[in-house]
Protein backbone atom coordinates (compact mmCIF):
# COMPACT_ATOMS: atom_id res chain seq x y z
CA UNK A 1 0.00 0.00 0.00
CA UNK A 2 2.71 2.41 1.04
CA UNK A 3 4.84 1.42 -1.91
CA UNK A 4 1.92 2.02 -4.25
CA UNK A 5 1.37 5.51 -2.85
CA UNK A 6 5.07 6.25 -3.17
CA UNK A 7 5.06 5.16 -6.80
CA UNK A 8 1.99 7.26 -7.48
CA UNK A 9 3.69 10.28 -5.93
CA UNK A 10 6.78 9.76 -8.06
CA UNK A 11 4.70 9.54 -11.23
CA UNK A 12 2.78 12.73 -10.43
CA UNK A 13 5.93 14.65 -9.56
CA UNK A 14 7.75 13.53 -12.69
CA UNK A 15 4.97 14.28 -15.12
CA UNK A 16 4.19 17.66 -13.60
CA UNK A 17 7.89 18.43 -13.69
CA UNK A 18 7.98 17.71 -17.41
CA UNK A 19 4.91 19.90 -17.88
CA UNK A 20 6.56 22.74 -15.97
CA UNK A 21 9.76 22.44 -18.00
CA UNK A 22 7.84 22.79 -21.25
CA UNK A 23 5.81 25.67 -19.79
CA UNK A 24 9.09 27.26 -18.71
CA UNK A 25 10.28 27.26 -22.29
CA UNK A 26 7.24 29.31 -23.32
CA UNK A 27 7.63 31.61 -20.33
CA UNK A 28 11.31 32.29 -20.88
CA UNK A 29 11.31 33.01 -24.59
CA UNK A 30 9.65 36.46 -24.61
CA UNK A 31 11.75 37.44 -21.60
CA UNK A 32 14.97 36.50 -23.35
CA UNK A 33 13.93 38.27 -26.54
CA UNK A 34 13.30 41.40 -24.50
CA UNK A 35 16.70 41.05 -22.85
CA UNK A 36 18.33 40.76 -26.24
CA UNK A 37 16.56 43.88 -27.43
CA UNK A 38 17.75 45.91 -24.47
CA UNK A 39 21.24 44.53 -24.97
CA UNK A 40 21.22 45.66 -28.59
CA UNK A 41 19.99 49.06 -27.43
CA UNK A 42 22.99 49.27 -25.11
CA UNK A 43 25.27 48.23 -27.93
CA UNK A 44 23.88 51.06 -30.04
CA UNK A 45 24.62 53.52 -27.27
CA UNK A 46 28.14 52.18 -26.92
CA UNK A 47 28.71 52.51 -30.65
CA UNK A 48 27.21 55.98 -31.10
CA UNK A 49 28.39 57.81 -28.00
CA UNK A 50 31.31 55.76 -26.79
CA UNK A 51 32.83 54.43 -30.00
CA UNK A 52 33.89 51.57 -27.73
CA UNK A 53 35.79 48.65 -29.27
CA UNK A 54 33.45 45.69 -29.72
CA UNK A 55 34.93 43.28 -27.12
CA UNK A 56 34.91 45.95 -24.46
CA UNK A 57 31.38 47.02 -25.31
CA UNK A 58 30.27 43.39 -25.18
CA UNK A 59 31.78 42.81 -21.77
CA UNK A 60 30.08 45.95 -20.44
CA UNK A 61 26.76 44.75 -21.78
CA UNK A 62 27.32 41.30 -20.32
CA UNK A 63 27.57 42.85 -16.87
CA UNK A 64 24.28 44.68 -17.21
CA UNK A 65 22.01 41.99 -18.67
CA UNK A 66 20.35 38.89 -17.29
CA UNK A 67 21.49 35.30 -17.33
CA UNK A 68 21.42 33.62 -20.76
CA UNK A 69 21.96 36.85 -22.68
CA UNK A 70 24.85 37.92 -20.48
CA UNK A 71 26.60 34.58 -20.90
CA UNK A 72 26.22 34.96 -24.64
CA UNK A 73 27.94 38.34 -24.70
CA UNK A 74 30.55 37.14 -22.21
CA UNK A 75 31.18 34.21 -24.52
CA UNK A 76 31.69 36.38 -27.59
CA UNK A 77 34.07 38.58 -25.64
CA UNK A 78 36.09 35.64 -24.36
CA UNK A 79 36.40 34.14 -27.82
CA UNK A 80 37.58 37.47 -29.16
CA UNK A 81 40.13 37.86 -26.39
CA UNK A 82 41.44 34.31 -26.17
CA UNK A 83 41.63 32.78 -29.61
CA UNK A 84 43.42 35.33 -31.68
CA UNK A 85 42.30 35.31 -35.27
CA UNK A 86 38.57 34.96 -34.94
CA UNK A 87 36.54 37.76 -36.45
CA UNK A 88 33.54 39.17 -34.62
CA UNK A 89 31.33 37.37 -37.09
CA UNK A 90 32.86 33.97 -36.32
CA UNK A 91 32.93 34.55 -32.58
CA UNK A 92 29.29 35.62 -32.71
CA UNK A 93 28.38 32.46 -34.60
CA UNK A 94 30.22 30.17 -32.17
CA UNK A 95 28.66 31.86 -29.15
CA UNK A 96 25.22 31.51 -30.69
CA UNK A 97 25.83 27.79 -31.09
CA UNK A 98 26.87 27.55 -27.45
CA UNK A 99 23.81 29.51 -26.42
CA UNK A 100 21.62 26.77 -27.86
CA UNK A 101 21.47 24.69 -24.67
CA UNK A 102 20.52 27.23 -22.09
CA UNK A 103 18.22 29.54 -24.02
CA UNK A 104 14.63 29.06 -25.11
CA UNK A 105 15.09 30.90 -28.38
CA UNK A 106 13.96 29.11 -31.49
CA UNK A 107 15.60 28.78 -34.87
CA UNK A 108 14.17 31.96 -36.38
CA UNK A 109 15.33 34.08 -33.45
CA UNK A 110 18.82 32.68 -33.82
CA UNK A 111 18.82 33.26 -37.54
CA UNK A 112 17.95 36.92 -36.96
CA UNK A 113 20.73 37.27 -34.42
CA UNK A 114 23.29 35.48 -36.54
CA UNK A 115 22.70 37.86 -39.44
CA UNK A 116 23.59 40.75 -37.17
CA UNK A 117 26.98 39.21 -36.48
CA UNK A 118 28.03 39.73 -40.09
CA UNK A 119 27.87 43.48 -39.75
CA UNK A 120 29.29 44.14 -36.29
CA UNK A 121 32.64 45.85 -36.09
CA UNK A 122 33.43 45.89 -39.81
CA UNK A 123 31.74 49.03 -41.13
CA UNK A 124 31.14 52.62 -40.09
CA UNK A 125 28.86 53.72 -37.27
CA UNK A 126 25.83 54.53 -39.39
CA UNK A 127 25.80 51.17 -41.08
CA UNK A 128 26.12 49.26 -37.82
CA UNK A 129 23.40 51.33 -36.18
CA UNK A 130 21.11 50.61 -39.09
CA UNK A 131 21.65 46.88 -38.77
CA UNK A 132 21.20 46.98 -35.02
CA UNK A 133 17.91 48.82 -35.44
CA UNK A 134 16.76 46.37 -38.09
CA UNK A 135 17.57 43.40 -35.87
CA UNK A 136 15.79 45.05 -32.95
CA UNK A 137 12.66 45.51 -34.98
CA UNK A 138 12.72 41.87 -36.08
CA UNK A 139 13.21 40.78 -32.49
CA UNK A 140 10.31 42.97 -31.46
CA UNK A 141 8.08 41.18 -33.90
CA UNK A 142 9.32 37.80 -32.66
CA UNK A 143 8.67 38.91 -29.10
CA UNK A 144 5.06 39.73 -29.89
CA UNK A 145 4.63 36.30 -31.43
CA UNK A 146 6.31 34.66 -28.46
CA UNK A 147 4.08 36.54 -26.04
CA UNK A 148 1.01 35.32 -27.87
CA UNK A 149 2.30 31.77 -27.83
CA UNK A 150 3.05 32.05 -24.13
CA UNK A 151 -0.52 33.09 -23.36
CA UNK A 152 -1.77 30.13 -25.32
CA UNK A 153 0.59 27.43 -24.17
CA UNK A 154 2.10 28.14 -20.76
CA UNK A 155 -0.98 27.45 -18.67
CA UNK A 156 -2.00 24.54 -20.83
CA UNK A 157 1.29 22.69 -20.40
CA UNK A 158 1.22 23.16 -16.65
CA UNK A 159 -2.24 21.64 -16.40
CA UNK A 160 -1.39 18.99 -18.95
CA UNK A 161 1.61 17.72 -16.98
CA UNK A 162 -0.24 17.35 -13.68
CA UNK A 163 -3.38 15.92 -15.22
CA UNK A 164 -1.48 13.40 -17.32
CA UNK A 165 0.28 12.17 -14.19
CA UNK A 166 -3.01 11.76 -12.36
CA UNK A 167 -4.50 9.96 -15.34
CA UNK A 168 -1.60 7.49 -15.57
CA UNK A 169 -2.05 6.70 -11.89
CA UNK A 170 -5.77 6.17 -12.27
CA UNK A 171 -5.24 3.88 -15.23
CA UNK A 172 -2.67 1.62 -13.58
CA UNK A 173 -3.88 1.76 -9.97
CA UNK B 1 -18.11 -6.76 -8.14
CA UNK B 2 -16.06 -3.98 -6.72
CA UNK B 3 -16.87 -0.35 -6.14
CA UNK B 4 -13.30 0.64 -7.05
CA UNK B 5 -14.12 0.61 -10.74
CA UNK B 6 -16.90 3.17 -10.27
CA UNK B 7 -14.55 5.52 -8.45
CA UNK B 8 -11.90 4.99 -11.12
CA UNK B 9 -14.32 5.91 -13.87
CA UNK B 10 -15.57 8.92 -11.92
CA UNK B 11 -11.98 10.15 -11.43
CA UNK B 12 -11.23 9.65 -15.10
CA UNK B 13 -14.34 11.62 -16.00
CA UNK B 14 -13.34 14.54 -13.78
CA UNK B 15 -9.77 14.61 -15.11
CA UNK B 16 -10.86 14.44 -18.72
CA UNK B 17 -13.43 17.17 -18.29
CA UNK B 18 -10.78 19.47 -16.77
CA UNK B 19 -8.33 18.59 -19.54
CA UNK B 20 -11.02 19.30 -22.09
CA UNK B 21 -11.70 22.71 -20.60
CA UNK B 22 -8.00 23.62 -20.50
CA UNK B 23 -7.50 22.59 -24.10
CA UNK B 24 -10.57 24.50 -25.22
CA UNK B 25 -9.39 27.57 -23.38
CA UNK B 26 -6.06 27.54 -25.19
CA UNK B 27 -7.83 27.27 -28.52
CA UNK B 28 -7.19 23.64 -29.43
CA UNK B 29 -10.61 22.31 -30.24
CA UNK B 30 -9.35 19.30 -32.15
CA UNK B 31 -7.13 18.02 -29.38
CA UNK B 32 -9.96 18.58 -26.90
CA UNK B 33 -12.24 16.42 -28.99
CA UNK B 34 -9.60 13.74 -29.29
CA UNK B 35 -9.03 13.64 -25.52
CA UNK B 36 -12.76 13.32 -24.92
CA UNK B 37 -12.90 10.48 -27.41
CA UNK B 38 -9.91 8.75 -25.85
CA UNK B 39 -11.58 9.04 -22.46
CA UNK B 40 -14.72 7.40 -23.74
CA UNK B 41 -12.72 4.58 -25.30
CA UNK B 42 -10.71 3.96 -22.13
CA UNK B 43 -13.82 3.82 -19.97
CA UNK B 44 -15.45 1.54 -22.50
CA UNK B 45 -12.48 -0.83 -22.35
CA UNK B 46 -12.79 -0.93 -18.58
CA UNK B 47 -16.51 -1.60 -18.63
CA UNK B 48 -16.74 -3.97 -21.58
CA UNK B 49 -15.93 -7.08 -19.56
CA UNK B 50 -18.68 -6.28 -17.12
CA UNK B 51 -21.13 -5.73 -19.96
CA UNK B 52 -20.16 -9.09 -21.43
CA UNK B 53 -20.74 -10.68 -18.07
CA UNK B 54 -24.14 -9.03 -17.84
CA UNK B 55 -25.15 -10.39 -21.22
CA UNK B 56 -23.97 -13.81 -20.21
CA UNK B 57 -26.05 -13.77 -17.07
CA UNK B 58 -29.08 -12.52 -18.94
CA UNK B 59 -28.63 -15.36 -21.38
CA UNK B 60 -28.37 -17.98 -18.67
CA UNK B 61 -31.29 -16.50 -16.76
CA UNK B 62 -33.70 -16.75 -19.67
CA UNK B 63 -32.04 -19.85 -21.09
CA UNK B 64 -31.32 -18.35 -24.45
CA UNK B 65 -28.67 -20.67 -25.80
Amino acid sequence: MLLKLLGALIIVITSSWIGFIIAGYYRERPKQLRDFQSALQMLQTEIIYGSTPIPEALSRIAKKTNMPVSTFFQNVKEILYNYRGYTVDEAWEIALKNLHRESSLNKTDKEILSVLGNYLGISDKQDQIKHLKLTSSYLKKQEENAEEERKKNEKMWKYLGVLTGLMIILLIY
Amino acid sequence: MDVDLIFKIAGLGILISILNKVLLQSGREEQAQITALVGVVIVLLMVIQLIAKLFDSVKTMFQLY
Side-chain angles (χ1 to χ4, degrees):
Chain A
M1 189 61 201
L2 197 71
L3 207 64
K4 231 175 172 179
L5 275 177
L6 198 71
L9 206 68
I10 290 172
I11 290 176
V12 166
I13 288 172
T14 324
S15 71
S16 19
W17 194 7
I18 293 171
F20 274 93
I21 287 173
I22 299 176
Y25 166 81
Y26 286 107
R27 197 182 49 244
E28 285 300 313
R29 194 172 150 229
K31 215 185 272 173
Q32 288 175 11
L33 283 171
R34 229 167 301 151
D35 282 351
F36 256 112
Q37 281 177 58
S38 63
L40 293 187
Q41 192 67 45
M42 282 178 219
L43 195 57
Q44 277 186 44
T45 319
E46 294 283 349
I47 289 173
I48 299 177
Y49 298 107
S51 297
T52 326
I54 284 280
E56 222 171 282
L58 292 179
S59 82
R60 264 186 224 167
I61 290 164
K63 273 172 208 146
K64 286 181 210 154
T65 44
N66 294 331
M67 196 21 207
V69 179
S70 73
T71 43
F72 168 73
F73 282 106
Q74 193 69 30
N75 219 337
V76 178
K77 187 209 90 181
E78 268 163 22
I79 293 166
L80 284 178
Y81 272 145
N82 291 343
Y83 310 119
R84 309 255 159 193
Y86 278 121
T87 61
V88 176
D89 176 27
E90 285 160 344
W92 190 269
E93 207 62 44
I94 292 166
L96 259 187
K97 254 179 212 140
N98 290 344
L99 184 69
H100 183 71
R101 288 239 181 84
E102 47 211 295
S103 80
S104 332
L105 303 178
N106 70 11
K107 239 179 183 164
T108 326
D109 304 339
K110 269 179 203 140
E111 199 55 47
I112 291 168
L113 283 172
S114 91
V115 169
L116 177 66
N118 294 331
Y119 300 100
L120 275 183
I122 58 163
S123 50
D124 60 359
K125 272 188 198 174
Q126 297 309 319
D127 192 46
Q128 291 186 44
I129 298 300
K130 255 182 212 158
H131 281 291
L132 279 170
K133 281 205 172 124
L134 182 69
T135 309
S136 280
S137 74
Y138 278 140
L139 285 183
K140 179 102 192 144
K141 213 173 273 167
Q142 289 294 107
E143 189 208 321
E144 277 161 21
N145 281 348
E147 189 67 34
E148 215 162 274
E149 253 177 55
R150 184 186 72 85
K151 267 184 203 143
K152 230 167 123 188
N153 290 320
E154 190 195 355
K155 219 173 187 181
M156 187 197 80
W157 278 106
K158 275 183 193 162
Y159 274 106
L160 212 66
V162 179
L163 289 178
T164 316
L166 289 177
M167 199 121 94
I168 292 170
I169 288 171
L170 262 181
L171 286 179
I172 64 177
Y173 201 73
Chain B
M1 190 63 202
D2 42 18
V3 198
D4 271 7
L5 194 69
I6 295 172
F7 281 122
K8 217 170 166 178
I9 291 171
L12 214 62
I14 292 169
L15 283 183
I16 284 190
S17 66
I18 296 173
L19 206 62
N20 209 3
K21 232 166 225 167
V22 171
L23 284 169
L24 274 182
Q25 205 183 37
S26 60
R28 290 161 189 258
E29 280 86 5
E30 280 177 45
Q31 276 94 329
Q33 268 176 0
I34 290 170
T35 41
L37 216 63
V38 166
V40 170
V41 169
I42 290 170
V43 171
L44 209 66
L45 282 178
M46 283 172 163
V47 170
I48 202 145
Q49 287 174 344
L50 295 182
I51 293 175
K53 220 191 252 171
L54 175 72
F55 278 150
D56 258 3
S57 39
V58 168
K59 265 192 208 161
T60 44
M61 184 156 265
F62 297 105
Q63 275 134 23
L64 301 167
Y65 284 108

